[in-house]
Amino acid sequence: MSSDNSPQAKPELSRRRFLKSSAIVSAAAWVPAFRVGIAEASDCVPPPNLPAHLNVFKQGFENWSKGIVIDSLWTCAPRSAQECVDLVNWAAAQGWQVRPRGAMHNWSPIHVTPDMDCQTQVILLNTVDYLANISMDYGWALPAVRAQAGVYMEDLLGFVEAHNLGMTAVPAPGDVTVGGVLAVDAHGTAVPAVGEQRAPGHSYGSLSNLVLEVTVVAWDKKANAYTLQTIDRRDRDAAAVITNLGRVLVVEAVFQLGENQKLRCQSFTDIHVDELLGPPESNGRTVAHYLDKAGRMEVIWFPFTDKPWLKVWSVAPQKPLFSREVTEPYNYPFSDNMPDEIEEMARSLTRDNKASTPLFGQMMYNVTTAGLAATQSGDIWGESKNTLLYIKPSTLRIEASGYAVLTRRSNVQRVIHDFAEKFKDMVAAYEAMGEYPINMPVEIRVTGLDQPDEVDGISAEAPMLSAIRPVEQHPEWDVAVWFDCLSFVGTDMSHAFNAEMEQWLHSRFKGDEAMVRPEWSKGWAYRPEAAWTDTDYLSRVIPKGHCDGRPQSSGWNAAIRCLDKFDPLRVFTNDFIDALMQQR
């Protein structure tokens, strides 16, 4: 990927520029989502020989960080699972590719690549418009929910909450879709507290590990066509499909559920970083202390500040005396709707005022502490959904690196402390050069792994390509520590910083102590110029991380063979995925 095609080089999507390129001038064209029908799209040759019943149009694409922005791509919004099959078979016959499009809450180019446009022989399959059905499914050992690929997690959690059911560890954004979370093994933050027993139907791993059944569009040799195929979790093929990087089209999935939990979420902004992220032999208010006490926590460490924002969730069937009950999610409006002065400073950080980064970090911390007090959100309690979902689309858009360090529970504080010390050293070294590559927070979470025995009532295998698939040769590794380093898109030296940190992570956490795998949705494979461009990382480091300590029958190559079997004509891919997802 050249520097001209890197995510940094792409401007923010311009509705006017999009409409101008489509030769649309009427006021009626100024609609949300920038859709333009085939008849009006005079600048691009439409897809040939389309079945007349398919709803196809041009639409802009913009991922979460605005790092990948494309003025227009051909897009189809199927009204049913059968229309998905019709579109895929049309694409296979015409030599086109199909990429599922959900909420676009993603950073990495596993979905689309920045060099695509409406001349590219690719069509996005919009799942959110019509593939949004949800229903309960009681045909399993425990209650389960059946949801189509375009269902938003907020809607899914709200639906099951009405049945007094829920999940333990879910992503903080509510706008991610079922199809999206299964592409990247989306996760939350949770391990069992000391003395806590896993409740039936719950898992401390990723959402992929909750899947009981999945329906996909896949190649059928007997039919000589792509068809709908339902794969039971007991089938070994399911392990390759339930974390798939978009190499198969998920239409529907069934998730196991457990009794909904009421959670208390307490925020702390008074713990010094040297205490919270201190060495493992230290006493006091450390991450390990809160994990033992509550099992669920998140650290948000603003740049150039010494007191992170710590959230701690604990299971609380009854409302604690001093907690505020919440009946809706997104209870931190100060982090979703930044004041004008912070927005302006944020923009200047990527231009000519890099030295304001320390002040900006302090302002973010001050806004957080004041906002928690003003909104009485420092101690909230309610149904799990209402405390776990807190990131809205109106949050500041940033780019993020992402890694999971698999290790044993007793080693968590050591892993976090060593990372924190390295991070502080690197930030100081870059500051001495007049550079401020990390101008948004560091985020730290801890989850369990995708343990097959947390799938209740059936014999299952862990997702083959999950970042937190257990390592068979190290059964003592039972947790993952997740690290994200955040910056605004276009920040000078951010890629160089992340490349250095990535190399350090892999050199520090290895052998019998730990292992590092990238978080599929975030930034990885860094070179100083851009993410996702280190060919050695793509061709050697990633496959090795999904092979070491595992039998060949469940490693990287086994997953690739299965996905290739389901899509031999390579309809569900792009140039980046073709380079990454090869047998090694």
Side-chain angles (χ1 to χ4, degrees), residues 10-15 17 33-34 59-73 101-107 111-112 124 175 393 397:
K10 289 292 182 179
E12 185 170 337
L13 181 63
S14 164
R15 182 183 302 184
R17 178 157 48 88
F34 316 153
Q59 187 172 34
F61 178 93
E62 182 176 278
N63 75 341
W64 173 253
S65 67
K66 301 180 182 178
I68 299 178
V69 176
I70 301 173
D71 276 359
S72 62
L73 288 171
R101 203 216 81 174
M104 300 176 288
H105 196 124
N106 182 58
W107 289 259
H111 181 228
V112 301
L124 303 189
D175 68 337
R397 303 296 185 92

Side-chain angles (χ1 to χ4, degrees), residues 460-533:
E461 182 180 342
M464 289 185 185
L465 296 182
S466 169
I468 53 175
R469 180 189 170 100
V471 179
E472 283 84 343
Q473 288 186 2
H474 289 283
E476 74 278 12
W477 294 354
D478 54 356
V479 300
V481 183
W482 299 83
F483 296 113
D484 297 342
C485 294
L486 280 54
S487 298
F488 290 107
V489 173
T491 300
D492 288 346
M493 301 295 288
S494 64
H495 294 316
F497 184 99
N498 285 319
E500 183 179 347
M501 178 60 78
E502 180 176 88
Q503 292 174 5
W504 178 84
L505 285 168
H506 282 276
S507 65
R508 169 62 187 86
F509 301 116
K510 61 183 180 180
D512 291 333
E513 181 187 10
M515 169 188 286
V516 178
R517 293 182 185 141
E519 183 174 2
W520 293 125
S521 65
K522 304 288 179 59
W524 30 269
Y526 281 94
R527 298 186 66 191
E529 301 80 18
W532 314 295
T533 58

Side-chain angles (χ1 to χ4, degrees), residues 126-154:
N126 178 324
T127 62
V128 298
D129 282 5
Y130 300 104
L131 302 180
N133 292 331
I134 316 174
S135 61
M136 293 301 300
D137 188 334
Y138 293 103
W140 304 86
L142 293 173
V145 63
R146 181 177 297 272
Q148 289 187 301
V151 171
Y152 291 108
M153 282 304 300
E154 179 180 355

Side-chain angles (χ1 to χ4, degrees), residues 136-295:
M136 293 301 300
D137 188 334
Y138 293 103
W140 304 86
L142 293 173
V145 63
R146 181 177 297 272
Q148 289 187 301
V151 171
Y152 291 108
M153 282 304 300
E154 179 180 355
D155 295 332
L156 177 65
L157 294 172
F159 178 85
V160 301
E161 180 187 288
H163 297 265
N164 194 33
L165 297 167
M167 301 172 176
T168 292
V170 300
D175 68 337
V176 293
T177 62
V178 165
V181 301
L182 297 185
V184 298
D185 68 295
H187 64 93
T189 180
V191 294
V194 171
E196 178 182 344
Q197 297 296 315
R198 182 183 69 87
H202 286 269
S203 172
Y204 298 103
S206 75
L207 293 180
S208 294
N209 202 41
L210 294 174
V211 172
L212 298 173
E213 179 185 282
V214 62
T215 299
V216 301
V217 177
W219 181 254
D220 185 332
K221 289 181 66 175
K222 292 182 179 179
N224 196 34
Y226 286 85
T227 62
L228 286 174
Q229 299 181 32
T230 297
I231 306 169
D232 190 285
R233 182 68 182 273
R234 289 163 285 204
D235 189 324
R236 291 206 70 246
D237 286 346
V241 169
I242 55 178
T243 298
N244 57 66
L245 281 70
R247 268 295 283 133
V248 69
L249 176 60
V250 171
V251 174
E252 184 178 80
V254 177
F255 296 90
Q256 74 174 23
L257 300 168
E259 182 178 353
N260 199 25
Q261 297 173 322
K262 288 184 169 60
L263 297 177
R264 179 188 194 183
C265 183
Q266 296 171 278
S267 289
F268 302 91
T269 57
D270 63 340
I271 308 174
H272 197 280
V273 67
D274 292 341
E275 179 181 4
L276 183 64
L277 311 184
E281 62 272 12
S282 60
N283 296 316
R285 298 173 294 176
T286 63
V287 167
H289 164 77
Y290 286 105
L291 288 178
D292 287 348
K293 183 179 179 181

